[in-house]
Amino acid sequence: QVQLVQSGAEVKKPGASVKVSCQASGYTFTTFDINWVRQATGQGLEWVGRMNPNNANTGYAQKFQGRVTMTSNTSINTAYMELSSLRYEDTAVYYCTRGNRPASSYSWLDPWGQGTLVTVSS
Amino acid sequence: EIVLTQSPATLSLSPGERATLSCRASQSVSSYLAWYQQKPGQAPRLLIYDASNRATGIPARFSGSGSGTDFTLTISSLQPEDVAVYYCHQYYITPLTFGGGTKVEIK
C-alpha cells in the first residue's frame, strides 16, 4: 500500500535549521508531487509548498519563500523539507503528503505521513 | 489567496442524526475541493475529492456536493467514530489553502 514515513521529532533553537525526511513506498516515487503541510498545536492546516521528484521543480507558499528548501533523493524514494532561521512560531507538526494527479497541479492530498513535531525552544 | 470559510465551527448532534458541514470559497475553485477528517493525534484522512468523489474505503454515509464557491459535506447518519475535526481544502490555485475546520461532537 502507498505509505509515507517521516523522520522523528526535533528540538531546535531559534535561528537554527531543521531538515525533515519523508520516505515513500508502494508507488513510483517520481510520478507524484510531494507536498508539505504544517499544523501548530490546536490550530488548522497550513500549506508550506510542494516539489516534483521527477524534475525537482518546487513551489513554495510566499510566507516561507527564502526560508524553505524542498529536495528529494530518488534513489531512496525520500523527500526532504528544510526550514531555516527558525522562530518560536514555527513550532508545529509538519506533514508530508502526496499529490494524486500525475503531472497536474489540480491534485488532492493523499496519503499523509504520520507527522514530525518540530519544537523551537531556547 | 483563496480563503475557505467553514461553518459551523462546532456541530453537536445525537447518534443517527444528519450532519451538514459547509465550506465557502472567496472565489471559484471549480470542483477542485477535498474534505479531510482529523482525529486527535492523527494525520488528516481524505474523505472526498473533486467535491463529490468518495475516497477508497470511506463509508457511504459520507457524501460531498457543490461547485464554484459553495460546498457541503454530509454525514447521513452520525456514528460515534465520526467525532473529529473536518477540513475542506482547495487545490485549484496556489497557495493551496484549507478551511478553519468544523468540530463534530456527539451529544
Side-chain angles (χ1 to χ4, degrees), chain B residues 7-103:
Chain B
S7 61
T10 304
L11 193 56
S12 187
L13 296 168
S14 300
E17 286 194 298
R18 183 182 194 90
T20 302
L21 288 67
S22 174
C23 176
R24 177 163 289 178
S26 58
Q27 64 187 79
S28 177
V29 299
S30 186
S31 293
Y32 297 119
L33 188 112
W35 290 92
Y36 300 89
Q37 175 193 67
Q38 187 177 35
K39 297 181 179 179
Q42 296 184 16
R45 173 195 183 197
L46 176 71
L47 298 175
I48 302 289
Y49 64 94
D50 289 348
S52 60
N53 294 297
R54 217 166 19 250
T56 303
I58 300 303
R61 65 181 181 273
F62 291 92
S63 64
S65 63
S67 67
T69 60
D70 289 293
F71 300 88
T72 301
L73 174 70
T74 302
I75 309 173
S76 60
S77 176
L78 192 66
Q79 302 300 306
E81 61 265 31
D82 299 335
V83 168
V85 178
Y86 293 81
Y87 294 97
C88 59
H89 160 59
Q90 68 81 19
Y91 44 96
Y92 184 52
I93 292 176
T94 56
L96 308 187
T97 52
F98 297 84
T102 291
K103 185 176 184 179

